[in-house]
Amino acid sequence: MDWKLELVFVPVSDVDRAKDFYVNKVGFNADYDERPTDGIRFVQLTPPGSACSICIGEGLNDAPPGTAPSLQMVVSDIQEAHSQLKANGVEVSEIDVQDWGQFVYFADPDGNKWAVQYIPHRPNG
């Protein structure tokens, strides 16, 4: 039996602002945005090519906004990722070159922290 991590909750203070950031600035796909019951809004967003999505919303969790654990995505081209984020208005770090990979960092409007990693000797990053 496979056990797959496919959804991570990211606590935000303003769902519409966060959805706009992740979809229009970072480039995630907007998969689902519904209110199944009063007091609950469930929004699922997925990075292109990823099997794991994030969810944001209302009434889903009592975690304070901005307290998601550090999250990381892997890309095949760190220069392209950096350029895309910067061109879309994301405050992104410069490329951090380490012995084991290259990284850029950014945070969403609530301060949830993200790393984008490129591993030079791994197929597709």
Side-chain angles (χ1 to χ4, degrees), residues 35-110:
R35 291 186 177 276
T37 63
D38 287 342
I40 299 215
R41 180 177 176 193
F42 183 86
V43 179
Q44 183 169 326
L45 310 169
T46 306
S50 179
C52 188
S53 302
I54 64 169
C55 74
I56 58 176
E58 299 167 3
L60 302 175
N61 190 307
D62 60 356
T67 61
S70 294
L71 301 160
Q72 184 165 304
M73 294 179 281
V74 177
V75 297
S76 61
D77 187 328
I78 198 71
Q79 294 284 347
E80 183 178 339
H82 182 268
S83 295
Q84 178 183 326
L85 290 168
K86 196 166 190 166
N88 288 342
V90 176
E91 290 185 30
V92 64
S93 72
E94 293 302 317
I95 297 172
D96 178 17
V97 178
Q98 300 293 325
D99 292 338
W100 60 91
Q102 299 173 16
F103 300 83
V104 295
Y105 307 96
F106 69 91
D108 73 9
D110 286 294

Side-chain angles (χ1 to χ4, degrees), residues 15-16 19 31-35 41-44:
V15 178
D16 291 322
K19 181 180 177 185
D31 302 323
Y32 188 81
D33 185 346
E34 296 291 329
R35 291 186 177 276
R41 180 177 176 193
F42 183 86
V43 179
Q44 183 169 326

Side-chain angles (χ1 to χ4, degrees), residues 19-39:
K19 181 180 177 185
D20 179 67
F21 175 81
Y22 284 109
V23 171
N24 296 315
K25 291 191 175 192
V26 183
F28 286 19
N29 298 308
D31 302 323
Y32 188 81
D33 185 346
E34 296 291 329
R35 291 186 177 276
T37 63
D38 287 342

